[in-house]
Amino acid sequence: MKKSPQIILLILGGTLFVISFIGMNIYGYKTFYIEEKIVPSNDYRYHFALVSEEIDNEYWRLIEQGAREAAAKHNIYLEYVGPLKADNDQLLKLIDRMVSVKVDGIITQGVEGKRFVDLVQKSVERGIPILTVDTDVKSSARKAYVGTDNFYAGQLAGETVINNTTGEQYVGIVTGRFDSINQQERLEGFKEAIQTTGRIHIVGMQESNITQIGAAQATYSLLREHPSITVLVGLSALDGIGMVEGLQEIAPNKDVYMTAFDILPETLALIRKGEINATIAQYPKEMGFEAIEVMIQLQQHSLLENEIFTRTIVVEKENSDTFLREDDR
Ligand code: BGC
């Protein structure tokens, strides 16, 4: 039987609609975030979500690694999600989604602002405990925090500059993101430490957007705007690596004292070469591991001690070998 042109058009139109609808769902969804495709089995003990600041950031992958170790040990299905690029709005939407799918617990970076506080409240009211990792929001109803004492870490960064320089010093700060609470706390700690000397002055601050290239650009413009800079301090994990790159670009022969954060392999290599003078090591794997252990306890009862600080250590060329062995767990 011959089909009329109208019917053919209708079939074609319908097929196109279905294809574009499916495409929109797959690709439109992927522009927001990546979600690990792990099919949960039905015999896990709990289903937890770990929400990171940025899914593929090396530092967050270490938190994930620690969390996966603990999850495997306790038969927990762990979903690791995060925005493709650091973005608070996307992160909050992900938390909301995890609340809607009724996971048993959410481990997330704390985010500045009322939206986060409200979301935590909503989650807890629905019986889903939230634990902050890496960055805390004390004013929220989160059940616990696992991570660095960020104010103290900032003080340690300040001490590296105090102990290793003499005379007037002019500091350029590279911060991951202005609106990140842990960056603000580290800066406060740093300021508190240096104010005791009166000879160390912050002259400028730029954002890296927690990327290496962003940190290189930030360094470049800091040095261009403030040629007086004698010290560079990076407050997030990729800043130190970018600072070295930026300095090489604009003033390769300038003598600048550099303090970074974290000990990603490249940062450690630069410490060994003497291009970065000091770095404040955090223990992201430990954070991830501990966060799962604490979340398991939260399934049964609230905690008396709900602020669990992981270690923070100053790493310089001299102790970099010891540190490696210590971290080899
Ligand atoms: C911070 C994290 C941040 C990461 C970025 C770390 O120092 O603790 O909050 O996501 O740097 O690379």
Side-chain angles (χ1 to χ4, degrees):
M1 197 179 79
K2 242 181 118 200
K3 288 190 177 108
S4 75
Q6 279 97 330
I7 294 188
I8 295 178
L9 263 180
L10 209 69
I11 293 173
L12 263 178
T15 315
L16 267 178
F17 174 79
V18 172
I19 291 174
S20 42
F21 183 76
I22 294 171
M24 187 193 78
N25 273 299
I26 296 173
Y27 298 107
Y29 163 85
K30 278 202 170 156
T31 53
F32 287 118
Y33 61 91
I34 300 175
E35 199 167 333
E36 302 289 295
K37 295 268 173 299
I38 300 166
V39 182
S41 76
N42 290 326
D43 56 3
Y44 54 82
R45 197 164 150 212
Y46 298 116
H47 175 185
F48 294 160
L50 169 61
V51 188
S52 68
E53 180 171 11
E54 187 175 83
I55 192 125
D56 253 334
N57 182 286
E58 254 182 281
Y59 168 89
W60 280 96
R61 286 290 181 189
L62 292 171
I63 296 187
E64 182 204 4
Q65 206 178 313
R68 289 216 182 277
E69 272 176 37
K73 182 175 141 201
H74 296 287
N75 189 25
I76 282 162
Y77 168 51
L78 178 70
E79 211 166 340
Y80 174 65
V81 297
L84 284 175
K85 291 263 152 272
D87 178 331
N88 287 356
D89 182 56
Q90 297 301 330
L91 190 142
L92 292 165
K93 283 186 178 143
L94 280 169
I95 299 176
D96 203 15
R97 197 179 131 87
M98 291 302 142
V99 174
S100 314
V101 300
K102 299 194 178 72
V103 294
D104 297 310
I106 301 173
I107 298 166
T108 180
Q109 185 188 43
V111 172
E112 190 178 60
K114 186 170 179 303
R115 267 178 79 194
F116 180 78
V117 173
D118 290 348
L119 204 49
V120 175
Q121 187 60 36
K122 173 173 148 184
S123 180
V124 170
E125 274 167 16
R126 293 188 184 183
I128 305 170
I130 293 216
L131 178 157
T132 46
V133 69
D134 172 74
T135 308
D136 198 11
V137 180
K138 284 205 188 82
S139 59
S140 71
R142 56 79 174 144
K143 294 288 182 189
Y145 167 67
V146 177
T148 296
D149 178 341
N150 285 297
F151 182 82
Y152 170 67
Q155 284 180 310
L156 286 183
E159 280 164 24
T160 63
V161 181
I162 299 171
N163 298 339
N164 295 290
T165 63
T166 51
E168 299 294 304
Q169 298 295 327
Y170 302 95
V171 184
I173 304 266
V174 178
T175 179
R177 296 195 298 147
F178 291 131
D179 63 2
S180 153
I181 298 177
N182 73 19
Q183 299 294 286
Q184 293 162 7
E185 289 173 347
R186 289 174 196 177
L187 181 65
E188 285 316 306
F190 182 82
K191 283 184 180 162
E192 171 138 325
I194 60 169
Q195 71 159 15
T196 56
T197 70
R199 66 175 178 85
I200 301 169
H201 319 278
I202 297 177
V203 293
M205 179 154 90
Q206 292 270 345
E207 244 180 341
S208 66
N209 280 313
I210 67 166
T211 66
Q212 183 178 332
I213 175 94
Q217 280 159 359
T219 305
Y220 190 88
S221 45
L222 275 171
L223 290 168
R224 208 185 39 212
E225 280 164 39
H226 310 280
S228 63
I229 283 177
T230 51
V231 174
L232 281 167
V233 175
L235 296 179
S236 74
L238 293 153
D239 296 342
I241 310 163
M243 279 167 9
V244 170
E245 205 180 302
L247 180 67
Q248 265 158 13
E249 184 88 7
I250 191 168
N253 299 319
K254 192 174 162 78
D255 190 20
V256 175
Y257 182 85
M258 281 202 210
T259 297
F261 248 86
D262 296 289
I263 36 133
L264 293 180
E266 210 175 329
T267 308
L268 205 55
L270 291 167
I271 289 269
R272 292 230 169 95
K273 279 206 245 160
E275 294 192 35
I276 293 177
N277 301 87
T279 192
I280 311 304
Q282 306 189 80
Y283 286 79
K285 270 201 257 173
E286 198 169 291
M287 283 180 210
F289 193 92
E290 204 48 38
I292 295 285
E293 298 273 351
V294 173
M295 185 53 94
I296 294 171
Q297 293 176 42
L298 285 172
Q299 300 299 307
Q300 323 288 339
H301 51 80
S302 288
L303 302 176
L304 287 178
E305 179 51 70
N306 63 10
E307 209 173 32
I308 299 122
F309 290 137
T310 45
R311 292 172 293 160
T312 320
I313 290 173
V314 176
V315 178
E316 293 164 317
K317 199 172 184 171
E318 298 70 40
N319 67 343
S320 56
D321 288 342
T322 333
F323 182 84
L324 257 193
R325 277 200 299 279
E326 211 185 310
D327 191 42
D328 206 12
R329 58 168 212 97

